[in-house]
Amino acid sequence: MSGRDPSGNHFDSGSHHVDADADHPLLGVNPELLNPERRILQLLHIEGGSLEQSALVEHTRWSESTISRTLCRMETQERIERHRQGNGKRVFLPQSRGKPRQRVRSKSERHRSAE
């Protein structure tokens, strides 16, 4: 079977992307076979390491809350970084492990610190 994943990349019957960079193992996997965290990592690799959080909702067709919860868990595990960008957030693959990370605070954390 061949077709396109939600991000528009081709994959063939062996579940490999035709356009994908073969250097990263997640890029050669059919997106339907990945768990949510790996699917997000795959999209970040395909898009060059960063993507708007709203674009993840569009690409995956998952709810905003599912994306947000998954990204929060991934951020806690330091698998991704999120930074405010205008009205939304941009998601990044970590650039360097030794660099201190700026974490986007949740609404409840911002509320507690304002008190």
Side-chain angles (χ1 to χ4, degrees), residues 6-99:
S7 64
N9 290 310
H10 295 281
F11 58 90
D12 63 21
S13 58
S15 299
H16 295 290
H17 288 279
V18 175
D19 319 322
D21 177 4
D23 291 343
H24 196 280
L26 285 176
L27 296 181
V29 178
N30 180 335
E32 301 299 321
L33 301 176
L34 296 172
N35 70 27
E37 292 181 12
R38 289 188 180 189
R39 177 64 180 128
I40 289 170
L41 291 173
Q42 182 188 53
L43 284 168
L44 287 170
H45 281 285
I46 288 169
E47 297 296 328
S50 73
L51 198 58
E52 290 182 15
Q53 187 167 325
S54 61
L56 286 171
V57 173
E58 292 173 23
H59 283 301
T60 60
R61 297 185 213 130
W62 299 334
S63 70
E64 290 179 19
S65 62
T66 296
I67 291 288
S68 183
R69 282 192 311 268
T70 303
L71 291 174
C72 184
R73 185 172 50 249
M74 293 174 73
E75 191 173 26
T76 300
Q77 297 167 348
E78 298 185 346
R79 298 178 75 191
I80 55 108
E81 297 175 355
R82 287 190 290 179
H83 301 281
R84 285 220 172 272
Q85 183 179 33
N87 290 332
K89 295 177 186 171
R90 189 155 191 92
V91 182
F92 297 89
L93 291 170
Q95 296 301 313
S96 73
R97 295 272 178 207
K99 203 169 150 182

